[in-house]
Amino acid sequence: MAITVLVVEDERKLRELIRSYLERAGMTVLSTGSGAEAITMAMQSAPDLVVLDLGLPDIPGETVAAELRTMSAVPIVMLTAKAAEEDRIRGLELGADDYVTKPFSPRELVLRVQAIVRRGARAPESHVSSYGDGVLVIDEPRRTVTVRGTPVQLTPTEWGILGALATVPGRVYSRFELINKVRGYEFEGYERTVDSHVKNLRRKVEEDPGSPRVIMTVLGGGYRLGLARDD
Ligand code: CA
């Protein structure tokens, strides 16, 4: 099945360059230079992934990302001219799965898009697991997570982190291990990246994100699942 990517970039030449690379990699590409139009297109076409420039003329890319997040867990790769770490972290906190700093190589962008899409399409293992007397239910074949009976939508990165922690409940996973489980390449600033995703995850799975019981922080160690696996 063809993968559909929505490319949101106001620089026409760059937009067309990205389009041609993605199309050559076998993907179907929709594109726009407007943030408002991007939101409408995402609603109508439900793309498999969004490549989103942060510097758009009508509304900021950050706002577009936040808006997309209210509708779906579609993976977002941000294009940013802002190389400062704080800006990158902010993008990840908004729910982006990855970011690429301009200027970038289109080939690298394609590789990252493919890595994220592959992660989302990975062959499911055939079982449903329950943790903490049913507080957390992970349905791998359907790639759904239910928290206290309510389904929650996770981005591919969040799914990867939670899935890794749930492999062996109680075992401490370092940030380095976690980022390696969800990404297939070296990642600069990985520690704070993991922290940003965990912060987003906690908003979705914790009753009180301020005092987490599902995803526990282990000082100097990393993270562990705070719930035992049910029989
Ligand atoms: Ca721009």
Side-chain angles (χ1 to χ4, degrees), residues 76-147:
I76 300 173
V77 176
M78 285 185 173
L79 301 180
T80 171
K82 305 167 180 172
E85 196 190 9
E86 285 309 315
D87 290 319
R88 300 186 193 182
I89 296 297
R90 209 156 59 84
L92 294 168
E93 279 171 354
L94 286 168
D97 286 90
D98 206 347
Y99 57 83
V100 176
T101 307
K102 293 181 185 176
F104 58 88
S105 115
R107 196 179 298 271
E108 189 197 344
L109 175 66
V110 170
L111 289 176
R112 293 204 185 189
V113 166
Q114 285 173 327
I116 291 173
V117 168
R118 255 201 315 275
R119 221 156 68 209
R122 199 174 289 158
E125 290 173 25
S126 56
H127 68 272
V128 178
S129 306
S130 168
Y131 304 85
D133 290 327
V135 165
L136 177 69
V137 176
I138 300 180
D139 184 338
E140 288 194 50
R142 291 185 191 147
R143 292 184 66 83
T144 62
V145 172
T146 308
V147 180

Side-chain angles (χ1 to χ4, degrees), residues 173-183 185-192 194-195 221-223:
Y173 291 85
S174 71
R175 291 171 174 81
F176 185 75
E177 261 181 293
L178 290 173
I179 204 69
N180 271 314
K181 281 190 189 291
V182 296
R183 290 178 201 278
Y185 52 86
E186 291 296 315
F187 199 74
E188 203 186 330
Y190 62 83
E191 296 218 338
R192 294 201 48 195
V194 172
D195 293 345
Y223 295 100

Side-chain angles (χ1 to χ4, degrees), residues 9-11 53-56 102:
E9 166 61 65
D10 59 304
E11 289 167 54
D53 179 32
L54 283 187
L56 295 170
K102 293 181 185 176

